[in-house]
């Protein structure tokens, strides 16, 4: 009876959720209002819901219950009591590869993500679609001089980890770190590819200059890119940060305090409105982590894949054009613009590069789609331009 109950509870939650807020927040509110669930129950029901959303737009004519069961078979890697109860013959095959399981149930994987024609050309479609079956890893970026400290703390805590790159640590997504390391001071929670988006500063030797660079992180959000720039530039920057939301900047201030960043200016700005930028100075480096569909991160938030509507691609592309059109005039001569998205759609990525080149005649020095779907990480896009 318990596994019938889990299935019914997951179905109810899925039917109640309208996608108006992050699913993690929706779940938290739901469980707070329904205290009958124990911690084990919550964990199982949560897993069933997330598995359901990982199938995206696939199986549109199938009942919610059947889709949950199918998703559990495709997304889980080890035998479990839920599947043993509902589909014992599938549970016996749970350790098979994703491709073998897909073939066994004759599942059309392309239906998960029906916008293949909108993707950046370099994406391997099958690998990308398959990546939705698993949760990406949790990544740490070790801050300068802290590597031995972090490694020892993780070992002492008995956590499983790997080192995919020099100062990058990969851990299982559910790893609890708050009581183990000093977040933002010793290491930053930052996706594998998000850690690479400012590598162009090293390649163009901006990290080695003696002068203090004027830097504007114009879509700063919680400040992760600013902390990354601070570490790459060895703190040699005159930093300004802006965002459209005061609540986000308040969170940034707390992170900067932990990170040891004391000298900076923060202000609220709507980058799509030239009027809010009249008093902004020119900068040598502008980091524009533009608002986007977030489609490169949907492995972490699969509910967004499920609720996404195609017209949102054009909506974001329009907003991005307005933003870059307003910030580029504030770039100094010989300055660099770094345009970043966490999108897999060409209209937000390569098409934006063409727009910037054609409309503003900036020199493209790097363009790269940082693929994460084959590394249990996010997919990011970066394009760096010089103003000559």
């Amino acid at each position: 009876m318990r596994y019938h109950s889990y299935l019914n509870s997951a179905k109810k939650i899925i039917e109640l959720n309208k996608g108006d807020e992050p699913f993690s927040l929706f779940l938290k509110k739901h469980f707070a209002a329904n205290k009958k669930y124990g911690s084990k129950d919550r964990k199982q029901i949560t897993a069933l819901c997330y598995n359901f959303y990982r199938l995206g737009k696939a199986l549109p004519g199938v009942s919610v219950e059947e889709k949950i069961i199918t998703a559990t078979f495709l997304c889980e890697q080890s035998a479990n009591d839920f599947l043993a109860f509902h589909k014992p013959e599938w549970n016996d095959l749970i350790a098979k590869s994703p491709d073998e399981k897909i073939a066994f149930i004759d599942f059309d994987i392309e239906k998960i993500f029906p916008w293949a024609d909108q993707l950046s050309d370099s994406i391997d479609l099958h690998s990308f679609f398959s990546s939705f079956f698993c949760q990406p890893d949790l990544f740490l970026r070790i801050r300068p001089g802290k590597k031995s400290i972090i490694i020892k703390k993780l070992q002492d805590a008995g956590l499983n980890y790997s080192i995919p790159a020099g100062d990058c640590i990969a851990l299982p997504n559910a790893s609890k770190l708050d009581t183990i390391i000093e977040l933002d001071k010793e290491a930053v929670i930052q996706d594998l590819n998000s850690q690479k988006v400012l590598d162009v500063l090293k390649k163009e030797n901006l990290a080695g200059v003696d002068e203090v660079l004027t830097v504007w992180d114009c879509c700063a959000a919680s400040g992760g890119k600013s902390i990354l720039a601070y570490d790459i530039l060895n703190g040699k920057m005159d930093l300004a940060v802006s965002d459209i939301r005061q609540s986000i900047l308040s969170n940034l201030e707390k992170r900067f305090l932990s990170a040891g960043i004391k000298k900076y200016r923060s202000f609220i700005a709507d980058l799509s409105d030239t009027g809010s930028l009249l008093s902004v100075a020119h900068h040598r480096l502008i980091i524009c982590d533009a608002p986007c569909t977030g489609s490169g991160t949907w492995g972490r938030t699969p509910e967004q894949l499920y609720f996404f509507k195609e017209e949102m691609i054009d909506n974001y592309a329009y907003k991005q054009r307005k933003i870059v059109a307003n910030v580029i005039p504030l770039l100094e001569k010989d300055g660099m613009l770094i345009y970043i998205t966490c999108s897999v759609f060409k209209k937000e990525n390569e098409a934006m590069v063409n727009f910037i080149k054609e409309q503003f005649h900036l020199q493209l020095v790097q363009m790269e789609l940082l693929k994460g779907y084959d590394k249990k990480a996010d997919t990011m896009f970066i394009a760096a331009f010089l103003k000559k």
Side-chain angles (χ1 to χ4, degrees), residues 173-242:
N173 191 266
S175 302
K176 303 297 183 185
L177 299 171
D178 292 1
T179 60
I180 298 172
I181 65 173
E182 294 184 71
L183 289 175
D184 295 325
K185 180 179 180 180
E186 296 176 331
V188 177
I189 294 177
Q190 191 168 36
D191 180 75
L192 171 68
N193 283 326
S194 186
Q195 296 182 31
K196 300 177 181 179
V197 294
L198 301 184
D199 282 358
V200 66
L201 298 178
K202 305 171 189 176
K203 296 174 184 176
E204 293 297 315
N205 204 33
L206 287 180
V209 300
D210 292 329
E211 65 181 292
V212 175
L213 295 181
T214 52
V215 179
W216 179 24
D217 187 353
C218 64
C219 304
S222 60
K225 305 298 188 304
S226 290
I227 300 173
L228 177 60
Y230 182 88
D231 290 345
I232 290 175
L233 298 173
N234 300 310
K236 294 180 180 178
M237 61 179 189
D238 180 4
L239 177 64
V241 293
S242 63

Side-chain angles (χ1 to χ4, degrees), residues 46-108:
T46 296
L48 295 178
C49 291
Y50 273 105
N51 287 342
F52 171 89
Y53 287 124
R54 288 190 178 284
L55 297 196
K57 305 293 187 179
L59 305 178
V62 174
S63 69
V64 172
E65 295 95 331
E66 284 300 313
K67 188 171 178 179
I68 290 171
I69 294 168
T70 302
T72 299
F73 175 60
L74 292 173
C75 296
E76 302 292 339
Q77 287 80 47
S78 56
N80 60 82
D81 292 338
F82 174 84
L83 203 59
F85 179 84
H86 289 284
K87 283 278 189 179
E89 67 275 21
W90 287 8
N91 197 46
D92 293 339
L93 302 172
I94 196 72
K96 296 286 186 181
S97 70
D99 285 347
E100 289 175 312
K101 290 193 280 187
I102 288 167
F104 177 73
I105 63 173
D106 194 25
F107 177 79
D108 188 353

